[in-house]
Amino acid sequence: MTQALFGHGCFQAYLLRMHRVADGSCVYCGHLVDDDAAHTIFTCPQWDNEREVMRPYINGRLPTPENVIDLLCGPVGMENTGVNIQTAFHRARSRFCNMVERILSNKEKDERDRQA
């Protein structure tokens, strides 16, 4: 999760800054601007299935950069909510963290395979 929040790790944009790859475009979809954490987690079509798993936990929506704070920290005023809302938040946060970890684990494995 730290890699995603800080943009370090197996993102082509980061690897380009570290002089480990020739360009920062996405190896999955060819996104030409930058393969950064936001692209990987929220928009790259390679990970659409992983994002779809989140729909039931965030009112039928997909995760976006705008709702990450609520997913990780809870909505404002959550301490004054009932147990059901707090339980739902903890479940959504756990699913979001698992989603990010699965995406990055797969991406790291693919990166190791490319380097080999």
Side-chain angles (χ1 to χ4, degrees):
M1 187 55 105
T2 302
Q3 287 181 343
L5 292 173
F6 288 97
H8 294 189
C10 57
F11 306 109
Q12 293 299 107
Y14 174 74
L15 296 174
L16 179 64
R17 285 194 309 273
M18 298 297 113
H19 307 288
R20 295 188 54 208
V21 295
D23 74 62
S25 62
C26 180
V27 297
Y28 298 105
C29 72
H31 185 263
L32 297 177
V33 178
D34 275 329
D35 171 33
D36 57 10
H39 169 74
T40 296
I41 294 167
F42 301 110
T43 61
C44 184
Q46 174 71 21
W47 313 112
D48 283 348
N49 290 337
E50 295 292 342
R51 285 188 290 277
E52 279 295 325
V53 172
M54 289 300 300
R55 280 191 192 272
Y57 301 98
I58 49 178
N59 297 323
R61 295 173 292 140
L62 292 174
T64 65
E66 294 77 27
N67 64 22
V68 167
I69 291 176
D70 284 346
L71 282 168
L72 294 178
C73 302
V76 174
M78 190 180 82
E79 62 279 354
N80 299 324
T81 63
V83 173
N84 289 342
I85 291 175
Q86 291 179 10
T87 300
F89 156 68
H90 290 295
R91 196 172 314 134
R93 178 177 57 190
S94 176
R95 298 292 183 194
F96 179 73
C97 292
N98 289 340
M99 178 200 81
V100 170
E101 289 170 10
R102 280 192 310 273
I103 289 171
L104 294 187
S105 291
N106 285 320
K107 198 166 180 170
E108 288 169 356
K109 178 193 171 299
D110 292 346
E111 180 63 25
R112 283 191 301 274
D113 291 348
R114 272 193 301 283
Q115 290 176 357

